[in-house]
């Protein structure tokens, strides 16, 4: 058999027997012939290609030294007895068996029935898997998969066919020289492909022209096929596609041993291909999500529903006008994000943005925290200290949960709004400050005023422009988009193995009521990323069971609930005057009485 013989540094003779169409030679362990580490041997030094008649040598790595018959070359054709210098290793090529000791047995010896064949065959498959899994780019992986299928079977050409729905589509077609085959469909047997798709079983046509089953098939006759094999690529019972290899020479017919090796290789390839397809889909989805978020966002705000579009319009209008803005909405809807967006789009964007949570600071410390103090103003005031309003000079101050502000401090805040002056605790001299005030609350300030807990004059000073943020449950079409945006942000911060949401999870997110709004959604996603063991987050990971889903009411019930709520709100605006409310709504007064009777506290 054709072989290469060389001498090692310890004067031991080695021999490598060629057994395949393409043989790689170099220092790296993933070569067919891995040479001991030498000074001039490159990791992937050269490739020996058998074209059916001759053995042709081509250098691979840049700078690889190859000498044939003493002359430096980049490629050459080998003849019996030729001497070849690979780097600094002198080799001899023999077309026929020699008496040299054969200490380098190729992995395909399993087909020749020699000891250790099975172990060497498994090792070769492992090497294939390792190389394939190192390919990050999907097209590159597909081409490498076919190149290796050709190598492991000794075929002339190979094809990777993937299922596009019910239709097979050629994704890669390569020949023994690792080049693309033009017009691949002209080299394939439709009959063989269809049989494998239907049966999902490996198929071998050892000698196509003599095979009783396929010799009369039009594709076999037209292609003048000699020998071919096709094996399915299955992922948990789902047909991903198939691998197809063929030989056009009678001297290289496939047999059952080739089919067995090819089938094992295909099972390994299916696992790798399934993973690669999943990652490719994740990358595509990720890019789509990024594009969608950019398209449906306004700075740091995400959403495209009608309510959010109106908010974006208001922000654009008020940002450039230095007037107070009151942001209302439930807890966790993102009121501070709106305030920051107004600041960033204003002429004060280069100035500071200072946020105060009026409900988080003890009342005894609130005045000093907001307005500062002078030395000796109270016990512990060992030095003068500016307040938050001083820190926001030439910028924006955001008063979150303004409804929690004590009444005595509301008077001082009113003075700041009127005169732009801040008086520190213990001082008699006011300080001028150049600030814009934005405020937010989750309370109904109109009710707070009626209860005497909020000053009416301060309310009208703050409420020049109102921006109301809708709760998350009223932003149905935005929910999947917000969930994906938060997942992308949190996964970048925390890492984790999961790649996104399952369809069931996104459905659960859309159906849940989210009483804690965006803050609650963010916390659930954060916990799910930490605890998830799979590749995609499901409803269980998000702790969204069937019992927690917002029920879908029948249309008649939903209509009744809306009418009741609307009538009660109108009645409240009219201070309980039922006759006036009935006139405004254009209904009989008895309708008002009917809805009041349904209320537990109705009069």
């Amino acid at each position: 058999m054709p072989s290469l013989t060389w001498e090692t540094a310890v004067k031991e003779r080695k021999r490598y027997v060629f057994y395949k169409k393409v043989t790689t030679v170099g220092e790296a362990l993933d070569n067919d012939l891995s040479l001991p580490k030498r000074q001039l041997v490159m990791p992937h030094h050269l490739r020996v290609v058998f074209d059916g008649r001759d053995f042709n040598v081509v250098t691979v790595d840049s700078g690889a030294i190859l000498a044939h018959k003493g002359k430096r070359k980049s490629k050459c054709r080998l003849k019996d007895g030729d001497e070849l210098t690979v780097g600094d290793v002198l080799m001899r090529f023999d077309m026929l068996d020699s008496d040299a000791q054969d200490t380098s047995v190729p992995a395909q010896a399993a087909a020749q029935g020699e000891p250790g064949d099975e172990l060497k065959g498994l090792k070769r498959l492992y090497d294939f898997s390792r190389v394939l899994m190192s390919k990050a780019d999907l097209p590159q992986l597909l081409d490498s998969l076919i190149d290796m299928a050709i190598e492991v079977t000794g075929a002339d050409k190979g094809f990777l066919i993937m299922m596009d729905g019910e239709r097979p589509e050629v994704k890669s077609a390569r020949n023994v020289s690792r080049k693309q085959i033009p017009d691949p469909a002209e080299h394939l047997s439709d009959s063989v492909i269809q049989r494998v798709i239907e049966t999902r079983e490996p198929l071998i046509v050892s000698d196509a022209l003599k095979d009783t089953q396929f010799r009369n098939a039009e594709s076999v006759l037209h292609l003048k096929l000699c020998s071919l094999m096709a094996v399915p690529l299955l992922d948990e019972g789902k047909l991903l596609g198939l691998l197809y290899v063929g030989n056009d020479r009678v001297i290289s017919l496939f047999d059952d041993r080739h089919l067995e090796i090819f089938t094992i290789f295909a099972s390994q390839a299916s696992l790798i291909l399934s993973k690669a397809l999943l990652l490719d889909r994740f990358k595509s989805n990720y890019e789509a999500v990024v594009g969608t978020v950019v398209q449906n966002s306004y700075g740091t705000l995400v959403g495209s529903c009608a309510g959010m579009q109106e908010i974006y319009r208001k922000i654009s209008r008020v940002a450039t006008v230095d007037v107070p803005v009151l942001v209302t909405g439930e807890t966790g809807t993102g009121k501070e994000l709106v305030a920051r967006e107004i600041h960033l789009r204003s002429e004060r964007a280069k100035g500071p943005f200072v946020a105060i949570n009026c409900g988080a600071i003890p009342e005894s410390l609130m005045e000093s925290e907001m307005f500062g103090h002078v030395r000796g103003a109270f016990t512990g005031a060992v030095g003068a200290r500016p307040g938050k309003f001083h820190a926001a000079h030439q910028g924006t101050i955001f008063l979150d949960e303004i409804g929690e502000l004590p009444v005595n401090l509301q008077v001082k805040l009113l003075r700041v709004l009127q005169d732009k002056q801040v008086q520190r605790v213990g001082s008699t001299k006011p300080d001028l400050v150049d600030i814009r005030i934005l405020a937010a609350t989750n309370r109904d300030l109109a009710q707070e005023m009626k209860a005497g807990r909020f000053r009416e004059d301060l309310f009208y000073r703050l409420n020049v422009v109102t921006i109301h943020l809708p709760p998350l449950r009223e932003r149905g079409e935005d929910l999947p988009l917000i969930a994906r945006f938060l997942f992308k942000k949190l996964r970048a911060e925390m890492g984790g193995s999961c790649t996104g949401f399952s369809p069931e999870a996104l459905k659960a997110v859309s159906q849940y009521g989210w009483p804690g709004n965006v803050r609650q959604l963010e916390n659930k996603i954060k916990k799910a990323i930490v605890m998830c063991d799979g590749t995609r987050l499901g409803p269980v990971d998000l702790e969204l069971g069937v019992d927690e889903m917002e029920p879908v009411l029948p249309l008649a019930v939903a209509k009744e609930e809306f009418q009741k709520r609307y009538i009660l709100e109108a009645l409240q605006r009219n201070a309980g005057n039922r006759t006036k409310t009935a006139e405004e709504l254009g209904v009989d007064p008895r309708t008002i009485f009917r809805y009041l009777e349904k209320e537990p506290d109705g009069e």
Side-chain angles (χ1 to χ4, degrees), residues 153-224:
T153 58
D156 291 324
K157 54 194 172 187
F159 306 84
L160 174 63
I161 302 164
M162 301 295 293
M163 299 304 297
D164 183 9
E166 298 295 322
R167 183 173 61 88
E169 182 178 336
V170 179
K171 292 295 185 181
S172 182
R174 311 270 284 181
N175 59 27
V176 71
S177 299
R178 302 193 175 192
K179 295 181 179 179
Q180 295 290 340
I181 297 176
D183 302 321
E186 296 182 2
H187 300 265
L188 296 168
S189 169
D190 296 335
S191 306
V192 170
I193 293 173
Q194 192 59 37
R195 176 62 60 86
V196 175
I197 292 174
E198 291 174 356
T199 64
R200 301 193 178 189
E201 295 289 339
L203 178 64
I204 180 172
V205 182
S206 183
D207 190 342
L209 299 180
K210 294 181 181 178
D211 188 276
T212 56
Q213 189 174 7
F214 290 98
R215 65 185 178 188
N216 293 324
E218 183 179 348
S219 57
V220 172
L221 292 171
H222 173 69
L223 297 172
K224 297 179 181 180

Side-chain angles (χ1 to χ4, degrees), residues 16 130 150 162 240 333 517 593:
Y16 179 85
R130 186 179 60 179
I150 293 171
M162 301 295 293
L240 300 177
T333 50
N517 294 295
F593 286 105

Side-chain angles (χ1 to χ4, degrees), residues 20-22 49-53 146-159 173-181 187 224-229 244-254 258:
K20 51 195 293 189
K21 295 285 194 310
V22 178
V49 181
F50 179 61
D51 61 9
R53 187 183 67 177
I146 291 302
D147 290 338
M148 292 182 178
I150 293 171
E151 286 187 22
V152 80
T153 58
D156 291 324
K157 54 194 172 187
F159 306 84
R174 311 270 284 181
N175 59 27
V176 71
S177 299
R178 302 193 175 192
K179 295 181 179 179
Q180 295 290 340
I181 297 176
H187 300 265
K224 297 179 181 180
L225 297 174
C226 286
S227 189
L228 61 89
M229 293 187 295
Y244 180 114
V245 294
N247 272 325
D248 296 335
R249 293 170 292 108
V250 177
I251 61 171
S252 300
L253 300 179
F254 295 127
H258 292 100

Side-chain angles (χ1 to χ4, degrees), residues 1-4 15-25 29-34 48-52 55 93-95 97 102 104-114 117 119-128 147-156 176 178 247 249 251-254 257-258 261:
M1 295 182 67
S3 64
L4 279 176
R15 178 167 171 259
Y16 179 85
V17 178
F18 291 99
Y19 65 95
K20 51 195 293 189
K21 295 285 194 310
V22 178
T23 302
T24 56
V25 180
L29 294 176
D30 60 352
N31 288 292
D32 299 305
L33 173 50
S34 179
V48 182
V49 181
F50 179 61
D51 61 9
F55 285 85
F93 175 74
D94 293 293
M95 284 295 295
D97 289 338
D102 188 354
S104 179
V105 183
Q108 195 164 322
Q112 302 166 6
E114 297 187 14
D117 296 340
L119 179 61
K120 291 176 182 177
L122 290 174
K123 182 181 181 300
R124 187 57 180 158
L125 287 174
Y126 167 75
D127 290 340
F128 282 140
D147 290 338
M148 292 182 178
I150 293 171
E151 286 187 22
V152 80
T153 58
D156 291 324
V176 71
R178 302 193 175 192
N247 272 325
R249 293 170 292 108
I251 61 171
S252 300
L253 300 179
F254 295 127
R257 293 191 300 269
H258 292 100
I261 294 173

Side-chain angles (χ1 to χ4, degrees), residues 18 121 192 194 205 208 219 229 231 290 330 444 467 474 543 548 576 593:
F18 291 99
V192 170
Q194 192 59 37
V205 182
S219 57
M229 293 187 295
V231 292
V290 171
E330 295 180 6
D444 185 344
I467 295 178
E474 294 179 8
E543 298 178 344
E548 288 156 335
F593 286 105

